[in-house]
Amino acid sequence: KQWYQRRVRGVFLNEKQVHVSKVYASESGNALFDEKFQLILHSEELANQTLRFDVYDHDKITNDDFIGQTSIKPSSDAIINQELYLVQGASNVGHGSIYVSVIFKPVPFYK
């Protein structure tokens, strides 16, 4: 059996890398990235932020292959299991998708 290994190699906030996922394997190629991480942002900064997800096929011997990327703008409204389609450059067909949840929790003491 062939196993497919996938990794969200980078989660970027305005081009700064803020997270790297573990490598996930599956027989179908549909890896489940079940990870949580948190970022601290000022609420007034939300409108100017972009989270970008870069997804790669993980290879043990050769370089990882880029599958695609997608992005989302965080907001004060909860985003639950939103499907984001992966794109490669100008091509936006058949690169897969990921589901993302983003929840903003105000922290009054953070200045």
Side-chain angles (χ1 to χ4, degrees), residues 64-78:
D64 294 350
D65 300 314
F66 178 66
I67 294 174
Q69 68 179 217
T70 189
S71 61
I72 191 169
K73 292 239 178 229
S75 75
S76 56
D77 297 326

Side-chain angles (χ1 to χ4, degrees), residues 2-103:
Q2 181 174 357
W3 283 81
Y4 298 90
Q5 295 186 323
R6 303 284 190 259
R7 173 199 310 241
V8 177
R9 189 152 91 181
V11 178
F12 297 85
L13 179 66
N14 294 342
E15 303 304 318
K16 180 183 176 193
Q17 189 168 20
V18 293
H19 183 73
V20 176
S21 80
K22 297 179 237 168
V23 175
Y24 292 89
S26 74
E27 288 184 80
S28 68
N30 297 323
L32 175 64
F33 302 100
D34 188 15
E35 294 194 22
K36 296 177 175 97
F37 64 95
Q38 64 183 8
L39 302 169
I40 297 177
L41 301 171
H42 291 282
S43 59
E44 61 271 5
E45 295 174 335
L46 283 177
N48 301 321
Q49 306 297 320
T50 300
L51 279 174
R52 188 184 84 222
F53 302 86
D54 292 356
V55 179
Y56 284 77
D57 174 41
H58 179 71
D59 297 317
K60 291 183 180 181
I61 298 172
T62 61
N63 290 335
D64 294 350
D65 300 314
F66 178 66
I67 294 174
Q69 68 179 217
T70 189
S71 61
I72 191 169
K73 292 239 178 229
S75 75
S76 56
D77 297 326
I79 300 166
I80 307 296
N81 282 339
Q82 181 172 337
E83 184 174 18
L84 303 176
Y85 296 98
L86 299 173
V87 297
Q88 284 185 6
S91 172
N92 61 0
V93 178
H95 299 289
S97 61
I98 63 174
Y99 290 84
V100 175
S101 296
V102 179
I103 300 171

